[in-house]
PDB file of all heavy atoms in Angstrom:
ATOM      1  N   LEU L 149      -7.258   1.545   8.101  1.00  0.00           N
ATOM      2  CA  LEU L 149      -6.093   0.799   7.793  1.00  0.00           C
ATOM      3  C   LEU L 149      -6.196  -0.619   8.457  1.00  0.00           C
ATOM      4  O   LEU L 149      -5.513  -1.545   7.968  1.00  0.00           O
ATOM      5  CB  LEU L 149      -4.817   1.509   8.263  1.00  0.00           C
ATOM      6  CG  LEU L 149      -4.419   2.646   7.336  1.00  0.00           C
ATOM      7  CD1 LEU L 149      -3.263   3.399   8.027  1.00  0.00           C
ATOM      8  CD2 LEU L 149      -4.139   2.287   5.951  1.00  0.00           C
ATOM      9  N   ARG L 150      -6.988  -0.782   9.520  1.00  0.00           N
ATOM     10  CA  ARG L 150      -7.179  -2.155  10.052  1.00  0.00           C
ATOM     11  C   ARG L 150      -7.846  -2.979   9.082  1.00  0.00           C
ATOM     12  O   ARG L 150      -7.678  -4.201   9.066  1.00  0.00           O
ATOM     13  CB  ARG L 150      -8.033  -2.015  11.342  1.00  0.00           C
ATOM     14  CG  ARG L 150      -7.196  -1.970  12.529  1.00  0.00           C
ATOM     15  CD  ARG L 150      -8.031  -2.089  13.796  1.00  0.00           C
ATOM     16  NE  ARG L 150      -8.749  -0.935  14.195  1.00  0.00           N
ATOM     17  CZ  ARG L 150      -8.241  -0.026  14.893  1.00  0.00           C
ATOM     18  NH1 ARG L 150      -6.951  -0.068  15.400  1.00  0.00           N
ATOM     19  NH2 ARG L 150      -8.953   1.047  15.263  1.00  0.00           N
ATOM     20  N   HIS L 151      -8.682  -2.386   8.161  1.00  0.00           N
ATOM     21  CA  HIS L 151      -9.515  -3.208   7.252  1.00  0.00           C
ATOM     22  C   HIS L 151      -8.793  -3.206   5.821  1.00  0.00           C
ATOM     23  O   HIS L 151      -9.069  -4.049   5.021  1.00  0.00           O
ATOM     24  CB  HIS L 151     -10.933  -2.622   7.051  1.00  0.00           C
ATOM     25  CG  HIS L 151     -11.601  -2.626   8.321  1.00  0.00           C
ATOM     26  ND1 HIS L 151     -11.958  -3.753   9.056  1.00  0.00           N
ATOM     27  CD2 HIS L 151     -12.149  -1.594   9.109  1.00  0.00           C
ATOM     28  CE1 HIS L 151     -12.583  -3.474  10.113  1.00  0.00           C
ATOM     29  NE2 HIS L 151     -12.708  -2.138  10.242  1.00  0.00           N
ATOM     30  N   ASP L 152      -7.842  -2.237   5.588  1.00  0.00           N
ATOM     31  CA  ASP L 152      -7.128  -2.310   4.300  1.00  0.00           C
ATOM     32  C   ASP L 152      -5.770  -1.570   4.600  1.00  0.00           C
ATOM     33  O   ASP L 152      -5.670  -0.316   4.420  1.00  0.00           O
ATOM     34  CB  ASP L 152      -7.898  -1.587   3.207  1.00  0.00           C
ATOM     35  CG  ASP L 152      -7.148  -1.620   1.863  1.00  0.00           C
ATOM     36  OD1 ASP L 152      -6.072  -2.234   1.769  1.00  0.00           O
ATOM     37  OD2 ASP L 152      -7.542  -0.887   0.957  1.00  0.00           O
ATOM     38  N   ALA L 153      -4.846  -2.271   4.899  1.00  0.00           N
ATOM     39  CA  ALA L 153      -3.504  -1.715   5.337  1.00  0.00           C
ATOM     40  C   ALA L 153      -2.744  -1.236   4.126  1.00  0.00           C
ATOM     41  O   ALA L 153      -1.668  -0.579   4.269  1.00  0.00           O
ATOM     42  CB  ALA L 153      -2.608  -2.798   6.033  1.00  0.00           C
ATOM     43  N   THR L 154      -3.178  -1.533   2.858  1.00  0.00           N
ATOM     44  CA  THR L 154      -2.428  -1.128   1.698  1.00  0.00           C
ATOM     45  C   THR L 154      -3.027   0.125   1.025  1.00  0.00           C
ATOM     46  O   THR L 154      -2.576   0.539  -0.052  1.00  0.00           O
ATOM     47  CB  THR L 154      -2.374  -2.238   0.629  1.00  0.00           C
ATOM     48  OG1 THR L 154      -3.685  -2.599   0.198  1.00  0.00           O
ATOM     49  CG2 THR L 154      -1.729  -3.469   1.208  1.00  0.00           C
ATOM     50  N   ASN L 155      -3.941   0.851   1.622  1.00  0.00           N
ATOM     51  CA  ASN L 155      -4.513   2.046   1.136  1.00  0.00           C
ATOM     52  C   ASN L 155      -3.524   3.162   1.229  1.00  0.00           C
ATOM     53  O   ASN L 155      -3.339   3.742   2.369  1.00  0.00           O
ATOM     54  CB  ASN L 155      -5.863   2.429   1.816  1.00  0.00           C
ATOM     55  CG  ASN L 155      -6.536   3.620   1.260  1.00  0.00           C
ATOM     56  OD1 ASN L 155      -5.905   4.454   0.624  1.00  0.00           O
ATOM     57  ND2 ASN L 155      -7.812   3.714   1.460  1.00  0.00           N
ATOM     58  N   ARG L 156      -2.849   3.513   0.167  1.00  0.00           N
ATOM     59  CA  ARG L 156      -1.761   4.501   0.229  1.00  0.00           C
ATOM     60  C   ARG L 156      -2.207   5.896   0.682  1.00  0.00           C
ATOM     61  O   ARG L 156      -1.455   6.597   1.343  1.00  0.00           O
ATOM     62  CB  ARG L 156      -1.052   4.557  -1.038  1.00  0.00           C
ATOM     63  CG  ARG L 156      -1.791   5.004  -2.282  1.00  0.00           C
ATOM     64  CD  ARG L 156      -1.085   4.711  -3.516  1.00  0.00           C
ATOM     65  NE  ARG L 156      -1.774   5.311  -4.608  1.00  0.00           N
ATOM     66  CZ  ARG L 156      -1.527   4.975  -5.889  1.00  0.00           C
ATOM     67  NH1 ARG L 156      -0.580   4.084  -6.240  1.00  0.00           N
ATOM     68  NH2 ARG L 156      -2.218   5.509  -6.876  1.00  0.00           N
ATOM     69  N   ASP L 157      -3.471   6.291   0.280  1.00  0.00           N
ATOM     70  CA  ASP L 157      -3.977   7.596   0.648  1.00  0.00           C
ATOM     71  C   ASP L 157      -4.203   7.667   2.254  1.00  0.00           C
ATOM     72  O   ASP L 157      -3.936   8.634   2.850  1.00  0.00           O
ATOM     73  CB  ASP L 157      -5.261   7.891  -0.010  1.00  0.00           C
ATOM     74  CG  ASP L 157      -5.064   8.103  -1.531  1.00  0.00           C
ATOM     75  OD1 ASP L 157      -3.973   8.562  -1.932  1.00  0.00           O
ATOM     76  OD2 ASP L 157      -5.924   7.742  -2.319  1.00  0.00           O
ATOM     77  N   ALA L 158      -4.747   6.528   2.746  1.00  0.00           N
ATOM     78  CA  ALA L 158      -4.979   6.484   4.195  1.00  0.00           C
ATOM     79  C   ALA L 158      -3.676   6.529   4.968  1.00  0.00           C
ATOM     80  O   ALA L 158      -3.514   7.127   5.985  1.00  0.00           O
ATOM     81  CB  ALA L 158      -5.812   5.257   4.596  1.00  0.00           C
ATOM     82  N   VAL L 159      -2.650   5.725   4.420  1.00  0.00           N
ATOM     83  CA  VAL L 159      -1.298   5.697   5.169  1.00  0.00           C
ATOM     84  C   VAL L 159      -0.740   7.104   5.046  1.00  0.00           C
ATOM     85  O   VAL L 159      -0.245   7.559   6.101  1.00  0.00           O
ATOM     86  CB  VAL L 159      -0.376   4.692   4.351  1.00  0.00           C
ATOM     87  CG1 VAL L 159       1.061   4.873   4.752  1.00  0.00           C
ATOM     88  CG2 VAL L 159      -0.812   3.288   4.645  1.00  0.00           C
ATOM     89  N   SER L 160      -0.751   7.710   3.957  1.00  0.00           N
ATOM     90  CA  SER L 160      -0.129   9.112   3.816  1.00  0.00           C
ATOM     91  C   SER L 160      -0.824  10.054   4.749  1.00  0.00           C
ATOM     92  O   SER L 160      -0.160  10.863   5.432  1.00  0.00           O
ATOM     93  CB  SER L 160      -0.242   9.613   2.421  1.00  0.00           C
ATOM     94  OG  SER L 160       0.371  10.830   2.154  1.00  0.00           O
ATOM     95  N   ALA L 161      -2.162  10.021   4.788  1.00  0.00           N
ATOM     96  CA  ALA L 161      -2.943  10.925   5.651  1.00  0.00           C
ATOM     97  C   ALA L 161      -2.609  10.709   7.123  1.00  0.00           C
ATOM     98  O   ALA L 161      -2.396  11.640   7.944  1.00  0.00           O
ATOM     99  CB  ALA L 161      -4.417  10.784   5.420  1.00  0.00           C
ATOM    100  N   LEU L 162      -2.695   9.391   7.540  1.00  0.00           N
ATOM    101  CA  LEU L 162      -2.430   9.038   8.986  1.00  0.00           C
ATOM    102  C   LEU L 162      -0.946   9.424   9.280  1.00  0.00           C
ATOM    103  O   LEU L 162      -0.681   9.956  10.448  1.00  0.00           O
ATOM    104  CB  LEU L 162      -2.695   7.672   9.196  1.00  0.00           C
ATOM    105  CG  LEU L 162      -2.556   7.182  10.680  1.00  0.00           C
ATOM    106  CD1 LEU L 162      -3.443   8.050  11.644  1.00  0.00           C
ATOM    107  CD2 LEU L 162      -2.936   5.723  10.876  1.00  0.00           C
ATOM    108  N   ALA L 163      -0.067   9.125   8.470  1.00  0.00           N
ATOM    109  CA  ALA L 163       1.419   9.416   8.751  1.00  0.00           C
ATOM    110  C   ALA L 163       1.566  10.949   8.904  1.00  0.00           C
ATOM    111  O   ALA L 163       2.308  11.396   9.787  1.00  0.00           O
ATOM    112  CB  ALA L 163       2.328   8.930   7.603  1.00  0.00           C
ATOM    113  N   GLY L 164       0.850  11.750   8.063  1.00  0.00           N
ATOM    114  CA  GLY L 164       0.943  13.201   8.248  1.00  0.00           C
ATOM    115  C   GLY L 164       0.459  13.627   9.605  1.00  0.00           C
ATOM    116  O   GLY L 164       1.009  14.496  10.227  1.00  0.00           O
ATOM    117  N   LEU L 165      -0.723  13.092  10.065  1.00  0.00           N
ATOM    118  CA  LEU L 165      -1.288  13.438  11.349  1.00  0.00           C
ATOM    119  C   LEU L 165      -0.361  12.972  12.497  1.00  0.00           C
ATOM    120  O   LEU L 165      -0.247  13.684  13.494  1.00  0.00           O
ATOM    121  CB  LEU L 165      -2.676  12.854  11.505  1.00  0.00           C
ATOM    122  CG  LEU L 165      -3.754  13.485  10.554  1.00  0.00           C
ATOM    123  CD1 LEU L 165      -5.029  12.825  10.787  1.00  0.00           C
ATOM    124  CD2 LEU L 165      -3.826  15.005  10.819  1.00  0.00           C
ATOM    125  N   TYR L 166       0.192  11.826  12.336  1.00  0.00           N
ATOM    126  CA  TYR L 166       1.134  11.332  13.375  1.00  0.00           C
ATOM    127  C   TYR L 166       2.406  12.292  13.443  1.00  0.00           C
ATOM    128  O   TYR L 166       2.825  12.601  14.552  1.00  0.00           O
ATOM    129  CB  TYR L 166       1.702   9.938  12.999  1.00  0.00           C
ATOM    130  CG  TYR L 166       0.822   8.775  13.351  1.00  0.00           C
ATOM    131  CD1 TYR L 166       1.087   7.491  12.957  1.00  0.00           C
ATOM    132  CD2 TYR L 166      -0.321   8.980  14.244  1.00  0.00           C
ATOM    133  CE1 TYR L 166       0.251   6.382  13.336  1.00  0.00           C
ATOM    134  CE2 TYR L 166      -1.152   7.916  14.536  1.00  0.00           C
ATOM    135  CZ  TYR L 166      -0.863   6.618  14.196  1.00  0.00           C
ATOM    136  OH  TYR L 166      -1.590   5.535  14.532  1.00  0.00           O
ATOM    137  N   SER L 167       2.879  12.712  12.307  1.00  0.00           N
ATOM    138  CA  SER L 167       4.068  13.625  12.336  1.00  0.00           C
ATOM    139  C   SER L 167       3.745  14.929  12.983  1.00  0.00           C
ATOM    140  O   SER L 167       4.539  15.495  13.783  1.00  0.00           O
ATOM    141  CB  SER L 167       4.503  13.867  10.865  1.00  0.00           C
ATOM    142  OG  SER L 167       4.974  12.718  10.300  1.00  0.00           O
ATOM    143  N   GLU L 168       2.541  15.496  12.663  1.00  0.00           N
ATOM    144  CA  GLU L 168       2.135  16.734  13.317  1.00  0.00           C
ATOM    145  C   GLU L 168       1.964  16.640  14.833  1.00  0.00           C
ATOM    146  O   GLU L 168       2.099  17.567  15.524  1.00  0.00           O
ATOM    147  CB  GLU L 168       0.738  17.213  12.710  1.00  0.00           C
ATOM    148  CG  GLU L 168       0.927  17.675  11.209  1.00  0.00           C
ATOM    149  CD  GLU L 168      -0.452  17.880  10.547  1.00  0.00           C
ATOM    150  OE1 GLU L 168      -1.453  18.013  11.284  1.00  0.00           O
ATOM    151  OE2 GLU L 168      -0.481  18.089   9.346  1.00  0.00           O
ATOM    152  N   ALA L 169       1.687  15.421  15.271  1.00  0.00           N
ATOM    153  CA  ALA L 169       1.508  15.187  16.756  1.00  0.00           C
ATOM    154  C   ALA L 169       2.841  14.737  17.380  1.00  0.00           C
ATOM    155  O   ALA L 169       2.817  14.383  18.563  1.00  0.00           O
ATOM    156  CB  ALA L 169       0.446  14.085  16.893  1.00  0.00           C
ATOM    157  N   GLY L 170       3.939  14.815  16.652  1.00  0.00           N
ATOM    158  CA  GLY L 170       5.206  14.444  17.140  1.00  0.00           C
ATOM    159  C   GLY L 170       5.436  12.959  17.269  1.00  0.00           C
ATOM    160  O   GLY L 170       6.299  12.508  17.941  1.00  0.00           O
ATOM    161  N   ARG L 171       4.713  12.204  16.449  1.00  0.00           N
ATOM    162  CA  ARG L 171       4.865  10.765  16.388  1.00  0.00           C
ATOM    163  C   ARG L 171       5.561  10.287  15.130  1.00  0.00           C
ATOM    164  O   ARG L 171       5.021   9.428  14.412  1.00  0.00           O
ATOM    165  CB  ARG L 171       3.480  10.134  16.601  1.00  0.00           C
ATOM    166  CG  ARG L 171       2.807  10.494  17.828  1.00  0.00           C
ATOM    167  CD  ARG L 171       1.297  10.186  17.858  1.00  0.00           C
ATOM    168  NE  ARG L 171       0.989   8.771  17.747  1.00  0.00           N
ATOM    169  CZ  ARG L 171      -0.203   8.239  17.759  1.00  0.00           C
ATOM    170  NH1 ARG L 171      -1.266   9.113  17.831  1.00  0.00           N
ATOM    171  NH2 ARG L 171      -0.372   6.974  17.676  1.00  0.00           N
ATOM    172  N   SER L 172       6.718  10.870  14.857  1.00  0.00           N
ATOM    173  CA  SER L 172       7.381  10.559  13.535  1.00  0.00           C
ATOM    174  C   SER L 172       7.813   9.159  13.391  1.00  0.00           C
ATOM    175  O   SER L 172       7.799   8.638  12.275  1.00  0.00           O
ATOM    176  CB  SER L 172       8.646  11.484  13.420  1.00  0.00           C
ATOM    177  OG  SER L 172       8.188  12.880  13.403  1.00  0.00           O
ATOM    178  N   THR L 173       8.156   8.531  14.445  1.00  0.00           N
ATOM    179  CA  THR L 173       8.605   7.094  14.428  1.00  0.00           C
ATOM    180  C   THR L 173       7.414   6.297  13.889  1.00  0.00           C
ATOM    181  O   THR L 173       7.623   5.392  13.003  1.00  0.00           O
ATOM    182  CB  THR L 173       9.122   6.598  15.774  1.00  0.00           C
ATOM    183  OG1 THR L 173      10.203   7.389  16.160  1.00  0.00           O
ATOM    184  CG2 THR L 173       9.592   5.162  15.614  1.00  0.00           C
ATOM    185  N   GLU L 174       6.320   6.427  14.469  1.00  0.00           N
ATOM    186  CA  GLU L 174       5.116   5.702  14.066  1.00  0.00           C
ATOM    187  C   GLU L 174       4.678   5.979  12.615  1.00  0.00           C
ATOM    188  O   GLU L 174       4.261   5.160  11.858  1.00  0.00           O
ATOM    189  CB  GLU L 174       3.927   5.978  15.009  1.00  0.00           C
ATOM    190  CG  GLU L 174       4.132   5.469  16.456  1.00  0.00           C
ATOM    191  CD  GLU L 174       3.020   6.006  17.336  1.00  0.00           C
ATOM    192  OE1 GLU L 174       1.958   5.428  17.337  1.00  0.00           O
ATOM    193  OE2 GLU L 174       3.296   7.017  18.055  1.00  0.00           O
ATOM    194  N   ALA L 175       4.890   7.254  12.287  1.00  0.00           N
ATOM    195  CA  ALA L 175       4.590   7.701  10.897  1.00  0.00           C
ATOM    196  C   ALA L 175       5.475   6.964   9.906  1.00  0.00           C
ATOM    197  O   ALA L 175       5.006   6.513   8.826  1.00  0.00           O
ATOM    198  CB  ALA L 175       4.727   9.184  10.739  1.00  0.00           C
ATOM    199  N   GLU L 176       6.753   6.981  10.251  1.00  0.00           N
ATOM    200  CA  GLU L 176       7.680   6.222   9.305  1.00  0.00           C
ATOM    201  C   GLU L 176       7.469   4.774   9.217  1.00  0.00           C
ATOM    202  O   GLU L 176       7.534   4.145   8.187  1.00  0.00           O
ATOM    203  CB  GLU L 176       9.102   6.520   9.797  1.00  0.00           C
ATOM    204  CG  GLU L 176      10.207   5.949   8.791  1.00  0.00           C
ATOM    205  CD  GLU L 176      11.566   6.422   9.013  1.00  0.00           C
ATOM    206  OE1 GLU L 176      11.801   6.847  10.092  1.00  0.00           O
ATOM    207  OE2 GLU L 176      12.382   6.301   8.107  1.00  0.00           O
ATOM    208  N   SER L 177       6.999   4.242  10.334  1.00  0.00           N
ATOM    209  CA  SER L 177       6.651   2.752  10.335  1.00  0.00           C
ATOM    210  C   SER L 177       5.501   2.437   9.356  1.00  0.00           C
ATOM    211  O   SER L 177       5.486   1.398   8.676  1.00  0.00           O
ATOM    212  CB  SER L 177       6.211   2.272  11.715  1.00  0.00           C
ATOM    213  OG  SER L 177       7.368   2.365  12.583  1.00  0.00           O
ATOM    214  N   LEU L 178       4.505   3.464   9.288  1.00  0.00           N
ATOM    215  CA  LEU L 178       3.473   3.227   8.365  1.00  0.00           C
ATOM    216  C   LEU L 178       3.939   3.200   6.943  1.00  0.00           C
ATOM    217  O   LEU L 178       3.569   2.337   6.132  1.00  0.00           O
ATOM    218  CB  LEU L 178       2.435   4.358   8.500  1.00  0.00           C
ATOM    219  CG  LEU L 178       1.578   4.325   9.719  1.00  0.00           C
ATOM    220  CD1 LEU L 178       0.727   5.586   9.859  1.00  0.00           C
ATOM    221  CD2 LEU L 178       0.581   3.131   9.729  1.00  0.00           C
ATOM    222  N   HIS L 179       4.800   4.161   6.563  1.00  0.00           N
ATOM    223  CA  HIS L 179       5.415   4.308   5.190  1.00  0.00           C
ATOM    224  C   HIS L 179       6.266   2.992   4.863  1.00  0.00           C
ATOM    225  O   HIS L 179       6.082   2.479   3.815  1.00  0.00           O
ATOM    226  CB  HIS L 179       6.267   5.542   5.062  1.00  0.00           C
ATOM    227  CG  HIS L 179       5.502   6.790   4.935  1.00  0.00           C
ATOM    228  ND1 HIS L 179       4.725   7.030   3.781  1.00  0.00           N
ATOM    229  CD2 HIS L 179       5.349   7.830   5.664  1.00  0.00           C
ATOM    230  CE1 HIS L 179       4.159   8.252   3.933  1.00  0.00           C
ATOM    231  NE2 HIS L 179       4.578   8.767   5.086  1.00  0.00           N
ATOM    232  N   LEU L 180       7.029   2.584   5.875  1.00  0.00           N
ATOM    233  CA  LEU L 180       7.868   1.382   5.605  1.00  0.00           C
ATOM    234  C   LEU L 180       7.094   0.160   5.414  1.00  0.00           C
ATOM    235  O   LEU L 180       7.388  -0.779   4.525  1.00  0.00           O
ATOM    236  CB  LEU L 180       8.911   1.174   6.701  1.00  0.00           C
ATOM    237  CG  LEU L 180       9.970   2.285   6.848  1.00  0.00           C
ATOM    238  CD1 LEU L 180      10.811   2.118   8.130  1.00  0.00           C
ATOM    239  CD2 LEU L 180      10.843   2.295   5.637  1.00  0.00           C
ATOM    240  N   ALA L 181       5.986   0.020   6.198  1.00  0.00           N
ATOM    241  CA  ALA L 181       5.080  -1.175   6.036  1.00  0.00           C
ATOM    242  C   ALA L 181       4.434  -1.181   4.632  1.00  0.00           C
ATOM    243  O   ALA L 181       4.325  -2.284   4.038  1.00  0.00           O
ATOM    244  CB  ALA L 181       4.047  -1.247   7.155  1.00  0.00           C
ATOM    245  N   LEU L 182       4.014  -0.052   4.225  1.00  0.00           N
ATOM    246  CA  LEU L 182       3.358   0.080   2.964  1.00  0.00           C
ATOM    247  C   LEU L 182       4.389  -0.194   1.811  1.00  0.00           C
ATOM    248  O   LEU L 182       4.095  -0.865   0.777  1.00  0.00           O
ATOM    249  CB  LEU L 182       2.738   1.391   2.717  1.00  0.00           C
ATOM    250  CG  LEU L 182       1.877   1.651   1.473  1.00  0.00           C
ATOM    251  CD1 LEU L 182       0.712   0.551   1.462  1.00  0.00           C
ATOM    252  CD2 LEU L 182       1.267   2.948   1.347  1.00  0.00           C
ATOM    253  N   LEU L 183       5.594   0.268   1.977  1.00  0.00           N
ATOM    254  CA  LEU L 183       6.677   0.028   1.015  1.00  0.00           C
ATOM    255  C   LEU L 183       6.909  -1.473   0.864  1.00  0.00           C
ATOM    256  O   LEU L 183       7.175  -2.067  -0.265  1.00  0.00           O
ATOM    257  CB  LEU L 183       7.914   0.676   1.351  1.00  0.00           C
ATOM    258  CG  LEU L 183       8.056   2.236   0.969  1.00  0.00           C
ATOM    259  CD1 LEU L 183       9.300   2.826   1.588  1.00  0.00           C
ATOM    260  CD2 LEU L 183       8.143   2.307  -0.585  1.00  0.00           C
ATOM    261  N   ALA L 184       6.889  -2.214   2.000  1.00  0.00           N
ATOM    262  CA  ALA L 184       7.120  -3.641   1.968  1.00  0.00           C
ATOM    263  C   ALA L 184       5.953  -4.370   1.229  1.00  0.00           C
ATOM    264  O   ALA L 184       6.208  -5.344   0.506  1.00  0.00           O
ATOM    265  CB  ALA L 184       7.190  -4.181   3.385  1.00  0.00           C
ATOM    266  N   ALA L 185       4.782  -3.869   1.442  1.00  0.00           N
ATOM    267  CA  ALA L 185       3.571  -4.418   0.803  1.00  0.00           C
ATOM    268  C   ALA L 185       3.435  -4.065  -0.745  1.00  0.00           C
ATOM    269  O   ALA L 185       2.976  -4.859  -1.497  1.00  0.00           O
ATOM    270  CB  ALA L 185       2.300  -3.962   1.538  1.00  0.00           C
ATOM    271  N   ARG L 186       3.895  -2.855  -1.094  1.00  0.00           N
ATOM    272  CA  ARG L 186       3.775  -2.402  -2.417  1.00  0.00           C
ATOM    273  C   ARG L 186       5.126  -1.786  -2.982  1.00  0.00           C
ATOM    274  O   ARG L 186       5.221  -0.664  -3.266  1.00  0.00           O
ATOM    275  CB  ARG L 186       2.638  -1.351  -2.536  1.00  0.00           C
ATOM    276  CG  ARG L 186       1.340  -1.818  -1.988  1.00  0.00           C
ATOM    277  CD  ARG L 186       0.258  -0.694  -2.050  1.00  0.00           C
ATOM    278  NE  ARG L 186      -0.045  -0.295  -3.424  1.00  0.00           N
ATOM    279  CZ  ARG L 186      -1.157   0.376  -3.636  1.00  0.00           C
ATOM    280  NH1 ARG L 186      -2.020   0.738  -2.721  1.00  0.00           N
ATOM    281  NH2 ARG L 186      -1.486   0.779  -4.961  1.00  0.00           N
ATOM    282  N   PRO L 187       6.111  -2.677  -3.096  1.00  0.00           N
ATOM    283  CA  PRO L 187       7.432  -2.206  -3.456  1.00  0.00           C
ATOM    284  C   PRO L 187       7.595  -1.692  -4.811  1.00  0.00           C
ATOM    285  O   PRO L 187       8.562  -0.905  -5.110  1.00  0.00           O
ATOM    286  CB  PRO L 187       8.283  -3.458  -3.291  1.00  0.00           C
ATOM    287  CG  PRO L 187       7.403  -4.561  -3.511  1.00  0.00           C
ATOM    288  CD  PRO L 187       6.093  -4.215  -2.922  1.00  0.00           C
ATOM    289  N   SER L 188       6.663  -1.945  -5.718  1.00  0.00           N
ATOM    290  CA  SER L 188       6.809  -1.480  -7.089  1.00  0.00           C
ATOM    291  C   SER L 188       5.881  -0.302  -7.394  1.00  0.00           C
ATOM    292  O   SER L 188       5.784   0.152  -8.586  1.00  0.00           O
ATOM    293  CB  SER L 188       6.412  -2.630  -8.098  1.00  0.00           C
ATOM    294  OG  SER L 188       7.268  -3.737  -7.843  1.00  0.00           O
TER     295      SER L 188
END
């Protein structure tokens, strides 16, 4: 994601791992950032 922050598969995968590790706030931030970049 450092090299391509708009890769939705990578965002979804990382957010899932963050959530499993109890890092839900960081996971949601990933989703929200991607929504801002790809709103349609």
